[in-house]
Amino acid sequence: MNGNELRIVDATLRDGGLVNDFYFEDELVKALYLTNLYTGVDYMEFGYKASKRMFDPAKNGKWKYCADADIWRILEDCKELDPYKAVMENREGHLKIAVMADVGRCDFREDIRPKAESPIDMIRVATYLDTIPGAVEMLEDAAGKGYEVSCNIMAISKAEEKTLREQLEILAQTPAEVLYVVDSYGALYPDHARRLLELYGEVAAKYGKRVGMHAHNNLQLAFSNTLLAKEMGAAWLDGTYASMGRGAGNCAMELLLGYLERQGYEKYRMVPALSFLDQYMEGLKRQGIVWGYDTQYLLTGLTNQHPRAAIQFTKERRSDHSAFYREIEET
Amino acid sequence: MNGNELRIVDATLRDGGLVNDFYFEDELVKALYLTNLYTGVDYMEFGYKASKRMFDPAKNGKWKYCADADIWRILEDCKELDPYKAVMENREGHLKIAVMADVGRCDFREDIRPKAESPIDMIRVATYLDTIPGAVEMLEDAAGKGYEVSCNIMAISKAEEKTLREQLEILAQTPAEVLYVVDSYGALYPDHARRLLELYGEVAAKYGKRVGMHAHNNLQLAFSNTLLAKEMGAAWLDGTYASMGRGAGNCAMELLLGYLERQGYEKYRMVPALSFLDQYMEGLKRQGIVWGYDTQYLLTGLTNQHPRAAIQFTKERRSDHSAFYREIEET
């Protein structure tokens, strides 16, 4: 198997940026880019295209905004750094660059420049189920400017089937090439994930689209839900190195790469991921940046709610999970 | 759903004992027993019936041996402690007691006394696939003494289908009521687990036996493999509080209980588990006792091998996963 039908997306900077307000050192970003080249990852999501009017640039690192110039600079530097010139020279058509744009939080008309002027290949439009008209507008704008586009529907564990089906039908008639299951709350048990993936799969097949999976690990199901998605035909799978991401984190890229490599997908390699973990992700943890599965995330996942209360609990270094559960059950 | 068909087994002391050499404070053991009463867990595994000739009692806590007298003492004390007398008085027939006996590491003829003299309800005979004759002897001995018996086949991820089928046929003709899939290496991906569970299910149906699942979390699949087992008809599911267990640990009991309770199984409750985590398991971690998923366990799981090298890596506080992977790949 060469894995040509799969698209593995590294969301470390984007979802991980929600943990450290996007303050990544350039050195890490470059090492991550090279790691993605070596592991065979298909897309690297650099961060958000967030509105500078809504989100103060004094309070966020640059990957909250993903200016074209900042990405160009990383790519230029990587050419110098890359010990395997051959890989770097074949970058085009191999490792593509994505950014996320949230409905209602992005000045997309100004901040997303025509593709011809930008290093970005794909705009991933993130939306809730009740802001689909805004998503459609952004998808059409970005596609019109020459980008690949996906639509990532967040908080999908809250969706009612009837509404979801209607909205998927609308999205499937936009330029979006990929329709994403985004389990923001990490609340999907396998049977629930399976029902959603079936519905997505049906609509995607009807309109010639692809299905994607972006999982969170609140119930320790991020990797297994990602495997389930693959088994059910989803071609786009998100991961982050060391699971770095909001709250309980994401599907660990190293788990996914190890699996794919051992299953015989020639395109993917795990070993470069291990080096990156050892050299960079361990360092972030030593700096005191905290993410990953813990009981408080189980509790927000179980009750199918946004992890913000659990993130606050973690920040306050509380350990009274029984009391926490009573608090969040009442809300 | 009342969950009458399910048997949830708490293996915290037994598998967790492999992490701290079975040195649990009595206070914790009593609190755990009461927790299992309150959560509705069906069996509490106290530890091993290990040979004192083979394993030095000076180097192991008492739950390595599970003397009847030690268990009786816990039960007596619990009667005093239990704030809910009504629950305690209905203990019989509700929370049962299990111990594990390893083939070749247990003086079962002497150390396992007749059931009439013992607080133990079930002997779980643990065996490798190449020691089944020894397991049969122990199963017959224990059943003859009046115990419920299960047979737990370890390192099952290494089993060849043909051999496994033959040996399951043999075990199914013993008094063993339950045949367990024991993923000692935490190496089962869902498709592999499914094939094993199908085979177990076939043999179990033919002989009127039950299937059990004991998972490890090397690939972050312990909970999802346990859910898969349940979906495929396994009635006996093992968990440990806070996942405490060898290496990457086990299926987290709190995840399992939270799932079952929310699915409408009236028998099970998660909240008492949270109190136990807060009051006892956090304390073990603060003492520096280390278990749970980490990259080194991913690597032994991925390569389908015993976690001992990863346990050593953890003890030495190494963090060079790339080098570790090269070491274990060569062995």
Side-chain angles (χ1 to χ4, degrees):
Chain A
M1 287 175 290
N2 54 26
N4 276 348
E5 76 285 13
L6 287 180
R7 296 290 178 274
I8 305 300
V9 179
D10 163 38
T12 307
L13 292 184
R14 205 271 307 157
D15 214 317
L18 295 168
V19 180
N20 71 349
D21 298 328
F22 303 89
Y23 287 111
F24 291 101
E25 301 283 346
D26 280 0
E27 192 195 328
L28 181 147
V29 177
K30 293 174 206 169
L32 179 57
Y33 182 79
L34 292 173
T35 299
N36 283 326
L37 274 182
Y38 305 152
T39 54
V41 158
D42 300 279
Y43 285 75
M44 171 167 165
E45 192 177 39
F46 268 70
Y48 284 98
K49 275 279 184 194
S51 163
K52 289 194 177 180
R53 290 181 293 113
M54 297 175 68
F55 299 95
D56 184 353
K59 292 181 182 160
N60 288 285
K62 61 188 166 198
W63 306 112
K64 179 89 173 175
Y65 311 98
C66 287
D68 289 345
D70 287 327
I71 300 176
W72 284 127
R73 204 168 300 125
I74 295 294
L75 300 183
E76 282 308 308
D77 287 359
C78 279
K79 284 192 188 163
E80 301 304 313
L81 284 172
D82 176 23
Y84 309 100
K85 298 290 178 202
V87 176
M88 193 65 204
E89 282 157 14
N90 289 320
R91 192 189 67 79
E92 282 75 22
H94 174 47
L95 175 57
K96 291 187 175 181
I97 292 173
V99 297
M100 182 160 276
D102 274 356
V103 172
R105 298 177 196 156
C106 172
D107 305 318
F108 60 94
R109 296 199 193 280
E110 305 85 57
D111 287 348
I112 298 178
R113 309 301 311 155
K115 165 68 193 122
E117 301 169 21
S118 171
I120 297 167
D121 298 288
M122 169 172 257
I123 307 289
R124 309 213 300 171
V125 174
T127 179
Y128 291 103
L129 207 49
D130 60 2
T131 55
I132 297 293
V136 172
E137 205 182 345
M138 288 171 71
L139 289 163
E140 285 171 353
D141 178 82
K145 287 169 177 164
Y147 293 96
E148 301 175 40
V149 285
S150 76
C151 190
N152 298 33
I153 312 177
M154 300 183 288
I156 199 71
S157 57
K158 288 295 215 185
E160 286 178 32
E161 188 186 324
K162 186 166 166 292
T163 314
L164 177 56
R165 185 182 291 274
E166 287 165 7
Q167 300 301 317
L168 283 174
E169 284 277 342
I170 293 170
L171 289 171
Q173 297 174 61
T174 70
E177 298 159 44
V178 196
L179 304 174
Y180 253 93
V181 174
V182 181
D183 184 14
S184 311
Y185 299 172
L188 294 182
Y189 287 112
D191 54 343
H192 192 176
R194 197 177 292 121
R195 288 199 306 276
L196 291 175
L197 286 159
E198 272 166 9
L199 178 51
Y200 271 70
E202 246 178 69
V203 177
K206 182 169 159 193
Y207 293 93
K209 307 290 183 175
R210 299 286 178 178
V211 175
M213 171 58 91
H214 178 89
H216 276 270
N217 207 29
N218 298 60
L219 299 171
Q220 293 194 14
L221 295 171
F223 180 45
S224 75
N225 282 341
T226 304
L227 292 182
L228 176 66
K230 177 177 175 296
E231 189 189 310
M232 295 187 64
W236 290 66
L237 306 174
D238 286 14
T240 66
Y241 291 95
S243 291
M244 188 179 188
R246 176 142 63 186
N250 299 89
C251 170
M253 183 63 90
E254 55 276 18
L255 276 169
L256 189 54
L257 291 169
Y259 173 80
L260 293 171
E261 185 178 8
R262 293 250 161 191
Q263 291 283 310
Y265 288 90
E266 295 159 13
K267 194 162 131 191
Y268 303 111
R269 294 281 176 271
M270 182 189 62
V271 166
L274 297 179
S275 306
F276 182 73
L277 295 184
D278 291 352
Q279 288 179 53
Y280 293 94
M281 300 312 276
E282 293 291 327
L284 291 183
K285 287 186 177 171
R286 276 197 301 273
Q287 284 169 35
I289 300 175
V290 179
W291 70 90
Y293 172 82
D294 205 340
T295 311
Q296 55 271 29
Y297 295 114
L298 179 172
L299 297 173
T300 59
L302 187 71
T303 50
N304 197 2
Q305 60 183 283
H306 193 285
R308 66 174 68 83
I311 291 168
Q312 187 60 26
F313 179 97
T314 309
K315 271 191 186 158
E316 293 172 5
R317 296 167 181 266
R318 286 174 59 182
S319 60
D320 52 332
H321 293 93
S322 323
F324 176 70
Y325 187 52
R326 283 194 299 276
E327 290 163 24
I328 65 166
E329 260 199 314
E330 285 158 14
T331 55
Chain B
M1 289 175 289
N2 56 26
N4 276 349
E5 77 285 12
L6 286 181
R7 296 291 178 273
I8 305 299
V9 180
D10 164 38
T12 308
L13 293 184
R14 205 270 309 155
D15 215 316
L18 296 169
V19 182
N20 69 350
D21 297 328
F22 304 90
Y23 287 111
F24 291 101
E25 301 283 346
D26 279 1
E27 192 194 329
L28 180 148
V29 177
K30 294 173 204 169
L32 178 58
Y33 182 79
L34 293 172
T35 300
N36 283 326
L37 274 181
Y38 307 151
T39 53
V41 158
D42 299 279
Y43 285 76
M44 171 167 164
E45 192 177 38
F46 268 71
Y48 283 97
K49 276 279 186 197
S51 163
K52 289 193 178 180
R53 291 181 294 115
M54 296 175 67
F55 299 95
D56 185 353
K59 291 182 183 161
N60 289 286
K62 61 188 168 200
W63 305 111
K64 179 87 173 176
Y65 312 98
C66 287
D68 288 347
D70 288 327
I71 299 176
W72 283 127
R73 205 168 299 124
I74 295 294
L75 300 183
E76 282 308 308
D77 288 359
C78 279
K79 284 191 187 162
E80 302 302 314
L81 282 173
D82 177 20
Y84 309 98
K85 297 288 178 203
V87 176
M88 193 63 205
E89 283 156 16
N90 289 320
R91 190 189 68 79
E92 281 76 21
H94 173 49
L95 175 58
K96 292 187 174 179
I97 292 173
V99 297
M100 184 159 277
D102 273 355
V103 173
R105 298 177 196 157
C106 172
D107 304 320
F108 60 95
R109 298 201 192 280
E110 306 85 56
D111 288 349
I112 297 178
R113 310 301 312 154
K115 163 71 195 120
E117 301 169 22
S118 171
I120 297 166
D121 298 286
M122 169 171 257
I123 307 288
R124 308 213 302 170
V125 174
T127 180
Y128 291 102
L129 207 49
D130 61 1
T131 56
I132 298 293
V136 172
E137 204 182 347
M138 289 173 71
L139 289 163
E140 284 171 354
D141 179 82
K145 287 168 176 165
Y147 293 96
E148 303 174 38
V149 283
S150 75
C151 189
N152 298 32
I153 313 177
M154 300 183 288
I156 200 70
S157 57
K158 287 296 216 186
E160 283 178 35
E161 188 186 323
K162 185 165 167 293
T163 316
L164 177 56
R165 186 183 290 273
E166 287 164 7
Q167 300 300 318
L168 283 173
E169 283 277 343
I170 293 171
L171 289 171
Q173 297 174 62
T174 71
E177 299 159 43
V178 196
L179 304 174
Y180 254 93
V181 173
V182 181
D183 183 15
S184 310
Y185 299 172
L188 294 183
Y189 287 113
D191 53 342
H192 193 176
R194 194 176 294 122
R195 287 197 307 275
L196 291 173
L197 286 159
E198 273 168 7
L199 178 51
Y200 272 70
E202 248 178 66
V203 178
K206 181 169 162 193
Y207 293 94
K209 306 289 183 177
R210 298 285 179 180
V211 175
M213 171 57 92
H214 179 89
H216 276 271
N217 208 29
N218 299 57
L219 299 172
Q220 293 195 12
L221 295 170
F223 180 44
S224 75
N225 281 342
T226 303
L227 292 182
L228 176 66
K230 177 178 176 294
E231 188 189 310
M232 294 187 65
W236 291 67
L237 307 175
D238 287 13
T240 67
Y241 292 96
S243 292
M244 189 179 186
R246 174 143 62 188
N250 298 90
C251 171
M253 184 63 91
E254 56 275 17
L255 275 171
L256 189 54
L257 291 168
Y259 172 80
L260 293 171
E261 185 178 9
R262 294 251 160 189
Q263 291 283 309
Y265 288 89
E266 295 160 12
K267 194 163 133 192
Y268 302 111
R269 295 280 177 271
M270 182 189 62
V271 165
L274 297 180
S275 305
F276 182 74
L277 294 185
D278 290 352
Q279 287 178 55
Y280 294 94
M281 300 311 277
E282 292 291 327
L284 291 183
K285 287 186 179 174
R286 276 195 300 272
Q287 285 168 38
I289 300 173
V290 178
W291 71 89
Y293 173 82
D294 207 339
T295 312
Q296 55 271 31
Y297 296 113
L298 178 173
L299 297 174
T300 60
L302 186 72
T303 50
N304 197 1
Q305 60 182 286
H306 193 287
R308 68 175 66 84
I311 292 168
Q312 188 59 26
F313 180 97
T314 309
K315 271 191 184 155
E316 293 173 5
R317 297 167 182 264
R318 286 175 59 181
S319 59
D320 53 333
H321 293 93
S322 321
F324 176 70
Y325 186 53
R326 283 193 299 274
E327 288 162 26
I328 65 166
E329 261 198 315
E330 284 158 16
T331 57

